[in-house]
mmCIF file of all heavy atoms in Angstrom:
data_model
loop_
_atom_site.group_PDB
_atom_site.id
_atom_site.type_symbol
_atom_site.label_atom_id
_atom_site.label_comp_id
_atom_site.label_asym_id
_atom_site.label_seq_id
_atom_site.Cartn_x
_atom_site.Cartn_y
_atom_site.Cartn_z
ATOM 1 N N ILE A 7 -3.261 7.352 3.149
ATOM 2 C CA ILE A 7 -3.948 8.604 3.563
ATOM 3 C C ILE A 7 -5.493 8.473 3.245
ATOM 4 O O ILE A 7 -6.222 8.800 4.081
ATOM 5 C CB ILE A 7 -3.275 9.747 2.838
ATOM 6 C CG1 ILE A 7 -1.913 10.126 3.326
ATOM 7 C CG2 ILE A 7 -4.200 10.995 2.892
ATOM 8 C CD1 ILE A 7 -1.094 10.915 2.390
ATOM 9 N N GLN A 12 -11.006 7.648 5.257
ATOM 10 C CA GLN A 12 -12.198 6.752 5.255
ATOM 11 C C GLN A 12 -12.535 6.440 6.672
ATOM 12 O O GLN A 12 -13.712 6.428 7.127
ATOM 13 C CB GLN A 12 -12.013 5.612 4.425
ATOM 14 C CG GLN A 12 -13.317 4.686 4.349
ATOM 15 C CD GLN A 12 -14.421 5.429 3.592
ATOM 16 O OE1 GLN A 12 -14.299 5.816 2.492
ATOM 17 N NE2 GLN A 12 -15.468 5.599 4.334
ATOM 18 N N ARG A 13 -11.505 5.956 7.575
ATOM 19 C CA ARG A 13 -11.730 5.555 8.844
ATOM 20 C C ARG A 13 -12.346 6.675 9.751
ATOM 21 O O ARG A 13 -13.184 6.425 10.568
ATOM 22 C CB ARG A 13 -10.402 4.955 9.507
ATOM 23 C CG ARG A 13 -10.195 3.648 8.953
ATOM 24 C CD ARG A 13 -8.884 3.165 9.544
ATOM 25 N NE ARG A 13 -8.392 1.906 9.063
ATOM 26 C CZ ARG A 13 -7.246 1.361 9.375
ATOM 27 N NH1 ARG A 13 -6.441 1.937 10.131
ATOM 28 N NH2 ARG A 13 -6.889 0.163 8.781
ATOM 29 N N LYS A 22 -22.236 8.754 15.775
ATOM 30 C CA LYS A 22 -23.547 9.340 15.657
ATOM 31 C C LYS A 22 -24.577 8.174 15.922
ATOM 32 O O LYS A 22 -25.482 8.412 16.742
ATOM 33 C CB LYS A 22 -23.919 9.891 14.206
ATOM 34 C CG LYS A 22 -25.144 10.625 14.165
ATOM 35 C CD LYS A 22 -25.236 11.431 12.848
ATOM 36 C CE LYS A 22 -26.580 12.164 12.893
ATOM 37 N NZ LYS A 22 -26.692 12.909 11.618
ATOM 38 N N LEU A 29 -18.369 2.748 22.301
ATOM 39 C CA LEU A 29 -19.097 1.415 22.381
ATOM 40 C C LEU A 29 -18.669 0.703 23.599
ATOM 41 O O LEU A 29 -19.487 -0.020 24.072
ATOM 42 C CB LEU A 29 -18.821 0.627 21.175
ATOM 43 C CG LEU A 29 -19.506 -0.750 21.109
ATOM 44 C CD1 LEU A 29 -20.973 -0.532 20.907
ATOM 45 C CD2 LEU A 29 -18.842 -1.540 19.973
ATOM 46 N N THR A 33 -18.359 6.350 27.576
ATOM 47 C CA THR A 33 -18.051 7.733 27.854
ATOM 48 C C THR A 33 -18.449 8.504 26.574
ATOM 49 O O THR A 33 -18.133 8.107 25.467
ATOM 50 C CB THR A 33 -16.436 7.890 28.140
ATOM 51 O OG1 THR A 33 -16.203 7.019 29.279
ATOM 52 C CG2 THR A 33 -16.087 9.176 28.381
ATOM 53 N N HIS A 39 -10.255 16.262 22.635
ATOM 54 C CA HIS A 39 -9.562 15.599 23.914
ATOM 55 C C HIS A 39 -8.593 14.548 23.398
ATOM 56 O O HIS A 39 -9.025 13.760 22.428
ATOM 57 C CB HIS A 39 -10.665 15.049 24.675
ATOM 58 C CG HIS A 39 -10.178 14.634 26.049
ATOM 59 N ND1 HIS A 39 -9.489 13.492 26.240
ATOM 60 C CD2 HIS A 39 -10.232 15.214 27.188
ATOM 61 C CE1 HIS A 39 -9.186 13.367 27.459
ATOM 62 N NE2 HIS A 39 -9.590 14.346 28.180
ATOM 63 N N PHE A 46 -12.113 4.944 14.829
ATOM 64 C CA PHE A 46 -12.706 3.773 14.136
ATOM 65 C C PHE A 46 -12.095 2.491 14.728
ATOM 66 O O PHE A 46 -10.764 2.442 14.808
ATOM 67 C CB PHE A 46 -12.554 3.773 12.745
ATOM 68 C CG PHE A 46 -13.084 2.556 11.952
ATOM 69 C CD1 PHE A 46 -14.468 2.499 11.706
ATOM 70 C CD2 PHE A 46 -12.315 1.594 11.545
ATOM 71 C CE1 PHE A 46 -14.977 1.363 11.219
ATOM 72 C CE2 PHE A 46 -12.781 0.453 10.833
ATOM 73 C CZ PHE A 46 -14.132 0.406 10.758
ATOM 74 N N LYS A 49 -14.247 -4.387 14.899
ATOM 75 C CA LYS A 49 -14.905 -5.502 15.761
ATOM 76 C C LYS A 49 -14.052 -6.725 15.766
ATOM 77 O O LYS A 49 -13.806 -7.297 16.817
ATOM 78 C CB LYS A 49 -16.281 -5.552 15.494
ATOM 79 C CG LYS A 49 -17.175 -4.449 15.816
ATOM 80 C CD LYS A 49 -18.577 -4.731 15.436
ATOM 81 C CE LYS A 49 -19.476 -3.531 15.479
ATOM 82 N NZ LYS A 49 -20.782 -3.793 15.017
ATOM 83 N N ALA A 90 -11.160 -6.927 34.389
ATOM 84 C CA ALA A 90 -9.774 -6.903 33.899
ATOM 85 C C ALA A 90 -9.431 -5.555 33.388
ATOM 86 O O ALA A 90 -8.417 -5.388 32.765
ATOM 87 C CB ALA A 90 -9.633 -7.901 32.922
#
Side-chain angles (χ1 to χ4, degrees):
I7 290 169
Q12 183 64 60
R13 286 181 183 170
K22 187 174 182 177
L29 181 69
T33 301
H39 188 283
F46 179 78
K49 293 178 188 175

